[in-house]
């Protein structure tokens, strides 16, 4: 049975700079690239764009909120 040498295994490329990934910092090549990635996460650089309304999985809350806003707008129109 062959032993696996971690330095010989293909760990891919660093997602930050594209250099060969090192086992100690995997999937990154260095502590610097690891810290750059962390800073992007903490700074919101990896945020997923979404809608403005906060809704549950079924969209129920967003539907109620939208209808409620429409009612308030209609009430304001009637008062004017």
């Amino acid at each position: 049975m062959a032993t696996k040498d971690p330095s010989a295994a293909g760990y891919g490329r660093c997602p930050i700079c594209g250099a060969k990934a090192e086992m100690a910092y995997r999937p990154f090549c260095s502590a610097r690239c690891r810290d750059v990635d962390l800073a992007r996460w903490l700074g919101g650089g990896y945020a997923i764009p979404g809608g403005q309304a906060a809704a549950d999985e079924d969209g129920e809350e967003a539907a109620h909120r939208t209808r409620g806003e429409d009612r308030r707008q209609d009430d304001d129109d009637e008062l004017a």
Side-chain angles (χ1 to χ4, degrees), residues 13-48:
R13 297 283 176 189
C14 176
I16 302 300
C17 70
K20 183 179 175 185
E22 295 292 327
M23 179 146 175
Y25 304 106
R26 191 171 167 226
F28 307 104
C29 66
S30 66
R32 179 196 171 277
C33 284
R34 181 187 60 199
D35 291 344
V36 167
D37 184 69
L38 178 61
R40 287 180 184 173
W41 276 104
L42 296 175
Y46 292 138
I48 299 171

